[in-house]
Amino acid sequence: MCLGIPGEIIEIRQDRPDLATVAVSGVKRAINIGLLADDPPLPGDWVLIHVGFALSKIDEDEAAAAMEFLEDIGQSYVDEVAALRESDID
């Protein structure tokens, strides 16, 4: 099962504006935000992440609800966070 996980934008990289650092469940990781070029996220914004790419911007309430759901489904969530840890984009 592939999941989209909410993450909070921590910073936009100055040298690569298509990359941002996000925080997801205690993991900080660089992700690609290029798909959101029409409405780029800023630090403090929340995005839905899948396979190292931000797919859409979401609000904090949506992020909290998604995290609650994901934590309730168990192993699939654990697997997705593990995949995020391994998907460093530099």
Side-chain angles (χ1 to χ4, degrees):
M1 173 185 266
C2 294
L3 303 171
I5 295 181
E8 183 178 10
I9 301 288
I10 303 298
E11 69 176 332
I12 308 300
R13 290 190 36 180
Q14 297 298 316
D15 61 330
R16 294 272 317 265
D18 61 327
L19 296 181
T21 302
V22 295
V24 178
S25 298
V27 177
K28 289 185 180 176
R29 182 65 60 212
I31 63 162
N32 189 299
I33 58 171
L35 296 174
L36 304 179
D38 290 342
D39 185 18
L42 301 171
D45 286 343
W46 288 84
V47 294
L48 191 60
I49 305 161
H50 179 66
V51 195
F53 288 86
L55 301 177
S56 64
K57 288 171 61 172
I58 58 176
D59 65 34
E60 192 169 356
D61 292 335
E62 290 174 296
M67 288 303 295
E68 183 178 340
F69 169 77
L70 292 170
E71 290 168 354
D72 286 346
I73 63 173
Q75 191 60 47
S76 293
Y77 170 71
V78 171
D79 292 345
E80 192 72 9
V81 171
L84 182 67
R85 280 192 179 101
E86 297 170 5
S87 68
D88 191 15
I89 299 173
D90 262 332

